[in-house]
Amino acid sequence: EISCVTGVQTCALPISETIIFSHTLRGHEGEVLTCTWSKLNPRVLATGAADNKIIFWDVRQARSYLAYLDFNDVRFKRTKDIRLSGTSHQSSVHGLEFSVCGRYLFSIGKDNRIRKWDTVTLKNLKTKFPEIAIKGKGNVPMSCLEGGDVDYLLLPHSNNIQVYDTRTGCAMPPLVGHYGSVFGMVYSPEDLTLYSCGRDRFILAWDTPLHREAARTSKMKETEGEDTKDINPFTVDAWSSDEEQ
């Protein structure tokens, strides 16, 4: 049996039978625009909607949601001093993505804000991402990538893919290559490659920082004592030569 989620309606799909409706997750008061699964708990779903809220659900039950995120609920602030806003963003929520470790959730809204949330304390971490205007009315794809000492948050903006340091929120050099608006991104953890597609009808493959670091390490092991200062991490072979030996 395969489980799937369409919007916030859950269905059970026996392989040899038709789709059977299961239940509806009720809590949003506006159109649901984005959703993503937790990387820590496969039964927890995060959704963002036009009602400006981000909600966590346990998809096994339809009684109520687990929690919603409030942007006024911040770290280092006493509970009695918190005045909840009732919303996660000041406009509709269009993108959600969990960090590589699964502890944090990143969101982007029509209010031009990127926010980082602690999924354990449900606090807004107030990470200082630069404002970014998003286009369109639907989901904005986001990806979190490992890069060794730094993890990165990626999201499309016009013809480029914006890159941010997830810890500090600082903008990094963008990925430039498309000639039209970027509409989709997907990361392959098996070959450490990011794929993107856009209005220019191209699908581009990008080497990630972790891929380049692995390639550099592999090349340094192969040289075994040779001078490696001239190795270009962007062009070295990322494949191990163990099989050739």
Side-chain angles (χ1 to χ4, degrees):
E1 186 175 272
I2 302 173
S3 295
C4 64
V5 173
T6 304
V8 288
Q9 292 186 339
T10 63
C11 307
L13 177 60
I15 294 177
S16 60
E17 301 178 16
T18 58
I19 295 177
I20 300 174
F21 176 75
S22 176
H23 59 267
T24 299
L25 306 176
R26 302 185 184 277
H28 280 297
E29 299 175 353
E31 182 181 6
V32 180
L33 302 172
T34 183
C35 62
T36 188
W37 289 105
S38 167
K39 294 180 180 178
L40 293 179
N41 188 336
R43 301 182 181 88
V44 172
L45 180 73
T47 59
D51 60 4
N52 308 349
K53 288 185 178 181
I54 300 169
I55 293 180
F56 291 147
W57 313 82
D58 184 334
V59 296
R60 297 172 297 177
Q61 60 187 21
R63 294 191 301 272
S64 181
Y65 54 82
L66 297 176
Y68 82 90
L69 303 178
D70 192 298
F71 71 81
N72 273 350
D73 191 359
V74 300
R75 290 188 305 173
F76 312 124
K77 198 170 185 179
R78 293 178 297 183
T79 302
K80 66 177 183 178
D81 296 329
I82 294 175
R83 299 293 181 266
L84 297 180
S85 66
T87 62
S88 309
H89 279 264
Q90 292 176 300
S91 188
S92 52
V93 182
H94 288 262
L96 294 172
E97 176 69 4
F98 281 93
S99 63
V100 176
C101 66
R103 170 71 184 267
Y104 305 105
L105 177 70
F106 300 92
S107 64
I108 184 170
K110 204 70 173 182
D111 55 2
N112 303 338
R113 297 284 186 180
I114 300 173
R115 291 201 163 97
K116 180 180 179 181
W117 309 85
D118 188 322
T119 62
V120 175
T121 64
L122 304 181
K123 299 288 187 180
N124 175 9
L125 298 181
K126 299 287 286 185
T127 305
K128 295 182 179 180
F129 291 95
E131 292 191 9
I132 179 171
I134 61 174
K135 299 179 180 179
K137 299 180 180 180
N139 175 64
V140 174
M142 306 172 73
S143 292
C144 279
L145 308 181
E146 292 180 301
D149 294 335
V150 179
D151 287 349
Y152 300 94
L153 175 68
L154 286 74
L155 58 93
H157 183 239
S158 187
N159 297 358
N160 302 328
I161 298 175
Q162 298 299 122
V163 183
Y164 302 97
D165 183 327
T166 61
R167 184 177 60 85
T168 64
C170 293
M172 313 293 287
L175 304 182
V176 180
H178 281 284
Y179 296 97
S181 298
V182 181
F183 288 148
M185 299 186 308
V186 62
Y187 174 65
S188 171
E190 293 189 4
D191 58 8
L192 306 178
T193 302
L194 176 76
Y195 296 89
S196 63
C197 59
R199 188 183 291 274
D200 56 5
R201 298 180 294 177
F202 291 137
I203 298 173
L204 301 183
W206 307 85
D207 284 344
T208 63
L210 189 60
H211 181 279
R212 294 195 294 269
E213 185 63 28
R216 181 180 178 86
T217 301
S218 175
K219 189 65 176 179
M220 292 179 68
K221 288 182 178 179
E222 290 178 7
T223 56
E224 292 184 353
E226 295 181 15
D227 188 2
T228 59
K229 64 181 180 179
D230 296 327
I231 293 178
N232 186 342
F234 296 93
T235 58
V236 295
D237 184 3
W239 294 97
S240 171
S241 59
D242 293 343
E243 294 183 359
E244 298 176 0
Q245 297 174 0

